[in-house]
Amino acid sequence: AYVNSKIGKGIITAKHVAGYFSQYKIPPTVCTLDLEKCEDISIDFISPSSESLNRDRAFYKQSFSFLQTCKISKKQMKIKDNVTIIGNSWGFQPWVSEGNVAWVKEKSLYINGFCAPGCSGGGVFYKDRMVGIISAILNTEYGPQPNQILSVPISQIEIIE
């Protein structure tokens, strides 16, 4: 998601996504939702030092003239709040689905909705405002559970204004 931060405009995503691109020296690409306009991002990103799930985020400080920044909300989400999930399922194209907050833990949102591998780093939206960043789908002994999404609330991301 393209956001305003304390250090300028840029893209916020999951650290494990940014790390993949950086490791293989592949520049990630940012696009409009309709894929009409795309541009490569620098492979250099800023990240918190902790390796916990709640620190699984990266920020690319870069401006894009063809994008508008997301509206942000640091609203404390509650169980049953309806949300929209936007990601890049299987790495092919944008995917939009609906869900609701199933569980709120101190620094995480657990969401019922559909999300497949590749959605990490995508946004969780309440009404027209981004409230979280997708971190992962739950993985159990029975395999990935694409209907159980883990998200970091925007309120936990210090860099975002």
Side-chain angles (χ1 to χ4, degrees):
Y2 188 50
V3 298
N4 284 317
S5 79
K6 295 176 182 174
I7 60 171
K9 292 180 180 180
I11 301 293
I12 187 89
T13 188
K15 182 180 177 184
H16 68 272
V17 172
Y20 172 84
F21 287 107
S22 180
Q23 175 184 356
Y24 294 104
K25 308 248 185 284
I26 302 168
T29 302
V30 64
C31 298
T32 55
L33 193 56
D34 61 8
L35 302 178
E36 288 294 317
K37 177 82 174 154
C38 295
E39 190 173 312
D40 285 349
I41 302 174
S42 162
I43 61 170
D44 299 320
F45 61 91
I46 302 164
S47 177
S49 58
S50 172
E51 294 300 318
S52 73
L53 174 66
N54 292 322
R55 298 287 183 194
D56 183 23
R57 55 188 173 272
F59 182 75
Y60 292 93
K61 186 178 181 225
Q62 191 167 342
S63 290
F64 298 93
S65 61
F66 64 94
L67 295 177
Q68 292 182 2
T69 56
C70 286
K71 294 177 184 176
I72 300 295
S73 174
K74 294 189 177 186
K75 170 187 175 7
Q76 292 299 112
M77 301 301 291
K78 298 179 296 222
I79 292 173
K80 296 185 183 178
D81 280 345
N82 292 324
V83 293
T84 301
I85 303 140
I86 301 176
N88 194 25
S89 293
W90 302 286
F92 295 124
Q93 61 187 23
W95 187 277
V96 180
S97 65
E98 298 289 320
N100 60 52
V101 177
W103 185 32
V104 179
K105 194 170 179 185
E106 192 174 295
K107 296 180 180 181
S108 299
L109 296 175
Y110 295 79
I111 299 168
N112 289 324
F114 177 78
C115 191
C119 283
S120 295
V124 177
F125 294 84
Y126 177 76
K127 299 187 179 175
D128 67 340
R129 304 204 178 255
M130 189 168 76
V131 295
I133 301 290
I134 300 166
S135 291
I137 57 175
L138 192 61
N139 199 8
T140 70
E141 62 189 62
Y142 304 107
Q145 303 297 311
N147 60 326
Q148 298 177 20
I149 305 162
L150 305 177
S151 170
V152 176
I154 290 296
S155 61
Q156 296 296 314
I157 304 175
E158 301 82 17
I159 197 169
I160 295 181
E161 294 186 308

